[in-house]
Amino acid sequence: MKYLTEFRDGELAQKLAAEIRAAVTRPWAIMEVCGGQTHAIIRHGLDQLLPPELELVHGPGCPVCVTPVAAIDRALAVAAAPGVIFCSFGDMLRVPGTREDLFAVKGRGADVRVVYSPLDAVRLAKGNPARQVVFFAIGFETTAPANALAVHQAAQLGLANFSVLVSHVLVPPAMEAILSSPANRVRAFLAAGHVCSVMGYHQYPPLAERYRVPIVVTGFEPLDLLDGIRRAVRQLEAGTHAVENAYPRVVTFDGNRAAQAMLAEVFEVCDRDWRGIGTIPNSGWRLRGGYRRFDAEERFAVGDIRSAESPHCRSGEVLRGTLKPNQCPAFGTTCTPRTPLGATMVSGEGACAAYFNYGRLTAVGTERATCPT
Amino acid sequence: MCLAVPGRVEAVFDADGVRMGTLTFGGVRKDVCLAYLPDVGVGDYALVHAGFAISQVDEATAAETLRTFAEMGVLADELGEEAG
Ligand code: SF4
């Protein structure tokens, strides 16, 4: 896209930041929901341009991070089953299960493959009729349409050797869980722009109304993020709580109707466990009716596996916005991207990895300001 | 993992009954699924995630947003707020 560099204009970013500094009169905590936004904020040092009263709280929007340990353990069991070709996005390979990760299972000879799209897994199933091909279907509303179409296509092609291990999660119920928690400090949200590109933002006005929080649909470039923050601050200071779209070049109110129709065809809403957070009602998708025959959990009978999270990892608090990664005692010592204790250190969009990779190794707020590039 | 990247549609074709397209991302070519953007054609920009185009990217709105930012920058200057 020809405007990409302009959305990173450092001088304009400084001016937007100056406007935010001039507007803030009281302490506010604003949560950016999406891990991609966390990553961009830390990478470009946007947090360091903000006034001290304004705190950015990192949200639960990293699909790799919130996939529960039981789902990883099920994946490990399926991947190790004889004759299986197990397909996944690359960043899932190093997420720790109770005892090990997909890399370790692959190292012992399991056929674990990284694919770019779930349609690649369908193609593999078509080309390998004697093998069972399983795709690890994780992710938020941004990823789910791809996985829904893969299942739909497998049904169209009559493939009996394709299945999906589903662990889909939904953003609005997680935002509601955060807002309804007694420990909540979040006063405004930067809603996840790419989730909204699929779902639109018609789901948010009731949430904004009920909890009296401004919600601003926000993109991922430095200027997008600063604009989202600026709009949230303006509302907080004025005492309003509207839903605003600060990402109109990508997001519409209705979202992508074709994708939503396919999602409704293939999936239905269910309760879902979130890593480190626990069960959130109506916060996930599972296969619906006629598509259940593509459920790997049933095909491989791995539903009852017992799992345990690392007792040292505090990612649940990080994902709920009550703990900064560098306040975790394991951060940067026993837990690093090379030896991760939790998924938030594995994923490139995880808050712990973002802090580690961009040098937030000291206490919050003591770093030198850097200019966005 | 939920990040999406914008690319330009170079060609549209059909594979196993699914609408596909070849897109370029700053010179890198990839085939992606266009099933969810039935109206997008050659020359359009789309945001791609997990091999799927999920949203058409609106160039006019992009330009408009940038223009607004630039005007705001001027405003911030006039308020006398020292940047940096
Ligand atoms: S630093 Fe490591 S152990 Fe601590 S919360 Fe993050 S992932 Fe878990």
Side-chain angles (χ1 to χ4, degrees):
Chain A
M1 164 117 183
K2 72 181 204 223
Y3 291 113
L4 212 54
T5 40
E6 286 89 334
F7 277 98
R8 298 185 178 179
D9 183 324
E11 210 176 304
L12 265 185
Q14 292 288 356
K15 286 178 176 166
L16 277 175
E19 198 184 324
I20 293 168
R21 287 197 296 270
V24 172
T25 65
R26 275 174 287 166
W28 302 109
I30 300 175
M31 175 176 274
E32 84 276 2
V33 173
C34 176
Q37 293 171 331
T38 302
H39 183 90
I41 286 165
I42 304 296
R43 179 163 113 100
H44 296 287
L46 304 183
D47 51 333
Q48 296 165 340
L49 297 174
L50 301 177
E53 296 92 337
L54 195 59
E55 187 189 355
L56 288 181
V57 180
H58 314 311
C62 162
V64 178
C65 305
V66 299
T67 300
V69 73
I72 305 289
D73 287 342
R74 289 196 278 269
L76 299 173
V78 173
V84 164
I85 300 176
F86 191 86
C87 301
S88 166
F89 295 130
D91 35 10
M92 294 308 291
L93 263 60
R94 287 182 57 242
V95 179
T98 298
R99 270 181 298 279
E100 55 183 358
D101 57 21
L102 278 166
F103 247 129
V105 178
K106 184 177 162 70
R108 285 203 303 278
D111 193 347
V112 177
R113 301 190 193 181
V114 171
V115 292
Y116 162 67
S117 157
L119 292 184
D120 297 342
V122 175
R123 206 168 303 125
L124 268 175
K126 202 176 159 203
N128 294 272
R131 309 270 307 268
Q132 282 289 328
V133 175
V134 183
F135 180 72
F136 198 1
I138 69 138
F140 285 103
E141 294 93 326
T142 324
T143 324
N147 298 343
L149 192 93
V151 172
H152 181 79
Q153 197 189 24
Q156 298 280 307
L157 295 169
L159 294 178
N161 67 327
F162 177 80
S163 58
V164 285
L165 196 57
V166 182
S167 189
H168 277 304
V169 273
L170 304 177
V171 165
M175 289 165 70
E176 173 134 34
I178 287 162
L179 288 171
S180 60
S181 151
N184 174 52
R185 298 182 301 129
V186 174
R187 293 288 168 265
F189 282 107
L190 307 182
H194 292 158
V195 165
C196 294
S197 73
V198 171
M199 301 306 286
Y201 53 97
H202 53 274
Q203 297 164 297
Y204 294 131
L207 207 61
E209 193 54 45
R210 173 132 34 108
Y211 294 93
R212 307 184 70 79
V213 285
I215 300 177
V216 183
V217 179
T218 303
F220 297 83
E221 294 301 331
L223 295 187
D224 291 324
L225 284 154
L226 289 168
D227 184 36
I229 295 164
R230 186 184 66 90
R231 290 175 187 234
V233 164
R234 198 166 51 190
Q235 284 207 51
L236 286 168
E237 291 285 342
T240 57
H241 49 271
V243 177
E244 285 185 59
N245 182 10
Y247 200 27
R249 67 186 186 278
V250 168
V251 173
T252 60
F253 184 72
D254 288 336
N256 186 322
R257 287 283 180 81
Q260 290 166 26
M262 183 61 79
L263 287 167
E265 159 82 17
V266 174
F267 293 126
E268 63 189 9
V269 170
C270 65
D271 296 348
R272 190 60 80 186
D273 282 343
W274 293 56
R275 192 178 190 116
I277 296 178
T279 307
I280 301 177
N282 300 321
S283 70
W285 270 318
R286 67 175 173 217
L287 293 168
R288 174 196 291 283
Y291 294 99
R292 291 232 183 92
R293 65 183 197 276
F294 295 99
D295 187 350
E297 202 172 310
E298 283 176 28
R299 194 173 291 189
F300 294 88
V302 292
D304 299 327
I305 288 177
R306 278 167 178 273
S307 299
E309 293 191 43
S310 160
H312 304 295
C313 178
R314 298 178 63 182
S315 62
E317 293 163 71
V318 171
L319 291 167
R320 275 174 306 198
T322 55
L323 185 86
K324 293 274 175 186
N326 50 2
Q327 292 166 339
C328 169
F331 178 85
T333 56
T334 51
C335 182
T336 68
R338 292 180 67 103
T339 57
L341 287 181
T344 41
M345 188 60 96
V346 174
S347 163
E349 288 165 27
C352 297
Y355 271 60
F356 190 91
N357 291 334
Y358 296 108
R360 301 297 200 278
L361 302 174
T362 50
V364 183
T366 60
E367 306 90 345
R368 253 166 44 89
T370 53
C371 231
T373 49
Chain B
M1 206 201 84
C2 260
L3 274 191
V5 275
R8 184 177 184 275
V9 182
E10 301 285 308
V12 178
F13 61 96
D14 180 287
D16 279 332
V18 175
R19 186 175 141 93
M20 302 284 292
T22 304
L23 272 70
T24 55
F25 305 86
V28 181
R29 259 167 222 277
K30 255 187 170 18
D31 288 347
V32 310
C33 181
L34 292 182
Y36 294 136
L37 294 180
D39 301 329
V40 156
V42 171
D44 290 335
Y45 285 86
L47 207 65
V48 174
H49 173 68
F52 279 68
I54 50 174
S55 177
Q56 182 168 0
V57 183
D58 181 347
E59 290 259 356
T61 313
E64 172 74 32
T65 307
L66 284 166
R67 198 162 45 242
T68 317
F69 285 154
E71 281 163 11
M72 273 170 357
V74 173
L75 213 70
D77 278 350
E78 281 175 359
L79 290 173
E81 173 72 30
E82 186 52 44

